[in-house]
Amino acid sequence: MTMRTARPGPGQGVDQYPPAIPATCPISGRFLANLRGAHQYRRVLERRPSHEDLIDHLVRSTPLQRGEAARVVLDVLAYFDETTEGFVRRRHRELQSQGLRNEAIFERISHELPHRAVSPPPLSIRQLRRLVYG
């Protein structure tokens, strides 16, 4: 005896929702990353470049699993893809959450900017403040 399951037809409400993404990995104790909602990866994921050789190298040379190595690659790409405005806003939030005042925050950010991988032209404290507050 074979069992059949009824499949709803189009327009019956089920096909309007995307398929569910499992929250756990088949490997016990591991969780799958839900990268669709992570805004810091959006620009990196839109391009979809193939970094399989780098991921393979990380898997061979480190104790990382393939999914973890892919996440590291995405983290690094997202870090270098961050705009100056995004960096200033993110860094301001981080320093503000540590209890620093704006004067010290903007001073620190102005010293950090030239040391980024691709440093922007020198920005004044006023320009930094405008990036954060508009």
Side-chain angles (χ1 to χ4, degrees):
M1 181 174 152
T2 60
M3 293 194 68
R4 290 186 169 183
T5 57
R7 299 184 93 180
Q12 292 183 331
V14 176
D15 58 342
Q16 65 188 351
Y17 298 106
I21 298 173
T24 58
C25 182
I27 301 170
S28 178
R30 303 236 181 208
F31 291 95
L32 296 175
N34 182 5
L35 298 178
R36 290 185 180 165
H39 68 278
Q40 69 267 30
Y41 301 117
R42 190 173 301 132
R43 287 175 42 185
V44 174
L45 289 173
E46 285 172 357
R47 292 191 210 138
R48 297 250 183 221
S50 175
H51 297 288
E52 295 300 317
D53 55 338
L54 178 58
I55 294 170
D56 291 338
H57 173 72
L58 286 173
V59 169
R60 283 191 312 271
S61 63
T62 65
L64 296 175
Q65 299 292 324
R66 185 162 189 76
E68 295 167 331
R71 175 72 185 261
V72 168
V73 169
L74 284 176
D75 279 343
V76 171
L77 291 173
Y79 174 80
F80 286 111
D81 199 39
E82 186 176 36
T83 64
T84 300
E85 293 82 6
F87 171 77
V88 170
R89 289 183 185 120
R90 177 181 59 81
R91 203 59 189 121
H92 182 268
R93 276 192 313 272
E94 291 171 356
L95 295 171
Q96 205 171 38
S97 71
Q98 294 175 11
L100 293 174
R101 299 183 57 83
N102 276 346
E103 185 177 312
I105 290 173
F106 290 122
E107 190 67 32
R108 184 178 291 184
I109 291 173
S110 69
H111 289 297
E112 290 176 356
L113 278 174
H115 300 287
R116 294 196 34 89
V118 178
S119 65
L123 298 172
S124 69
I125 301 296
R126 182 174 185 230
Q127 289 172 315
L128 292 173
R129 189 173 282 117
R130 282 192 159 192
L131 288 176
V132 174
Y133 295 113

